[in-house]
Amino acid sequence: MQQYKSDQYELPLWCIERLQVDFSVYKSIHAPCDKNKVIHNYFKDQGLPTTTSSYDDEFENTDLTVMMPPLSLGTDIVEKAISVSNTVISFHRIGFLASMKRRQFWIDNPRSKMIICSRRPSFYDGKTDNQGWTWFVWDKTGKFPQNDPCAWYL
């Protein structure tokens, strides 16, 4: 897998803080592709068992994977995570839904939920890009709140 230099952003902390999820129900959490360890440190600060790795490392079997993969490798990395995790929460541009290349991916891996950011994240120097962003969720366990298949947060 080849990653382009400019296609992995640092996730703003508020993007994960505002998820209304009881992460304590998960026995193990893996945070791959975590530039600057924002996700890893969020869970570590809550005392939750968390590991991290690069996108090209082998992913371990885990209860929950939370990540923001490099844009150009998103499909491959999500498929990898789904194969070893009970629940996957992955942050992408909303446009990740649209692509002939990803059509079969969505057929083979229907999402459980989308949680859309109502405001655009700022990745660099307080500036936002012109894209909407969302958390896609794939849940095999029923632990993730399913009250609404598409939700928004501020």
Side-chain angles (χ1 to χ4, degrees):
M1 290 188 277
Q2 179 184 355
Q3 176 185 351
Y4 299 100
K5 185 176 182 179
S6 64
D7 90 336
Q8 186 170 15
Y9 301 155
E10 179 180 337
L11 180 72
L13 182 59
W14 70 265
C15 291
I16 193 165
E17 286 177 330
R18 300 233 174 115
L19 283 174
Q20 296 179 349
V21 177
D22 179 5
F23 290 110
S24 68
V25 301
Y26 296 97
K27 295 176 184 170
S28 58
I29 301 170
H30 186 64
C33 317
D34 190 12
K35 185 176 181 176
N36 296 341
K37 307 267 188 272
V38 171
I39 298 169
H40 178 263
N41 290 338
Y42 172 78
F43 292 120
K44 184 180 170 190
D45 290 348
Q46 293 184 43
L48 299 172
T50 309
T51 58
T52 189
S53 68
S54 169
Y55 68 88
D56 55 355
D57 291 339
E58 287 297 317
F59 288 13
E60 58 190 60
N61 288 334
T62 190
D63 204 17
L64 172 66
T65 296
V66 181
M67 63 184 171
M68 182 182 179
L71 303 175
S72 63
L73 304 176
T75 306
D76 293 334
I77 294 171
V78 169
E79 286 178 322
K80 187 175 174 180
I82 289 171
S83 73
V84 298
S85 300
N86 292 326
T87 303
V88 174
I89 304 173
S90 190
F91 198 63
H92 298 267
R93 290 177 172 160
I94 292 175
F96 189 66
L97 284 168
S99 166
M100 287 303 295
K101 184 178 175 183
R102 286 187 290 272
R103 181 178 182 273
Q104 193 61 48
F105 165 81
W106 288 110
I107 291 169
D108 296 341
N109 302 287
R111 62 175 172 74
S112 304
K113 187 167 187 151
M114 274 175 65
I115 304 168
I116 300 168
C117 285
S118 296
R119 66 179 183 146
R120 291 188 179 138
S122 171
F123 297 107
Y124 298 107
D125 301 325
K127 299 174 185 170
T128 63
D129 62 11
N130 63 353
Q131 302 291 319
W133 290 80
T134 187
W135 289 101
F136 290 100
V137 180
W138 294 266
D139 180 34
K140 302 172 193 172
T141 67
K143 290 181 183 177
F144 198 88
Q146 297 296 323
N147 53 338
D148 185 353
C150 188
W152 288 260
Y153 69 89
L154 301 174

